[in-house]
Amino acid sequence: MKKSVIFLGAALLAFANVSIASNSTAVKNQVAVSAVYDEGTPLVVAVSKGDIEVVKKFIEYGANVNERSDDMSPLMTAARYNKVEIIKVLLAAGARPNDKNEKGYTALKYAQLSNATEAIAILKNL
């Protein structure tokens, strides 16, 4: 009887260790996966998703409209994806349309590369 209890205890202990190890691995993998999709500043992510209300909230709370993420400003990202209303909001908040990144591209250049005609029209008139 004592041997059965000892074997049962050892089996439960081993099972618990395996269970804990597999759960911690899953959490690590989950963090790594989510980090891949959440690159960039929160403002740039909101701009790329086209969520104008979130963009306005970030600006209201003091987000820097000229802060770069992956060498692109929020205005460059908005121009690239033809987010016209967001472009207007960013410009009204002080985004600088003539800023260049390391490639020498401006927001207008990104709009032209993406053939974002509405964004091109707005940015050319500045």
Side-chain angles (χ1 to χ4, degrees):
M1 180 72 173
K2 282 186 177 181
K3 287 184 180 180
S4 298
V5 172
I6 292 172
F7 284 125
L8 182 58
L12 287 174
L13 185 61
F15 179 76
N17 285 337
V18 169
S19 176
I20 291 169
S22 67
N23 284 342
S24 66
T25 304
V27 171
K28 288 179 188 173
N29 289 341
Q30 184 180 11
V31 171
V33 170
S34 66
V36 171
Y37 294 106
D38 293 332
E39 291 181 3
T41 64
L43 180 59
V44 169
V45 172
V47 168
S48 64
K49 289 181 178 181
D51 195 339
I52 192 165
E53 294 305 316
V54 173
V55 169
K56 288 178 181 178
K57 283 291 181 190
F58 282 136
I59 292 170
E60 180 182 326
Y61 292 136
N64 182 352
V65 294
N66 293 302
E67 183 178 359
R68 292 203 180 136
S69 175
D70 290 332
D71 200 32
M72 289 181 65
S73 69
L75 184 62
M76 291 173 187
T77 303
R80 179 179 182 186
Y81 295 113
N82 203 31
K83 307 290 185 186
V84 177
E85 294 304 315
I86 293 177
I87 290 172
K88 292 176 183 177
V89 169
L90 291 170
L91 289 170
R96 297 184 299 257
N98 296 322
D99 279 4
K100 294 182 179 182
N101 64 3
E102 291 179 7
K103 294 179 183 178
Y105 293 174
T106 61
L108 177 60
K109 181 64 175 180
Y110 277 107
Q112 291 168 337
L113 291 171
S114 298
N115 199 24
T117 54
E118 295 168 339
I120 292 169
I122 289 173
L123 293 169
K124 272 190 173 180
N125 291 329
L126 300 176

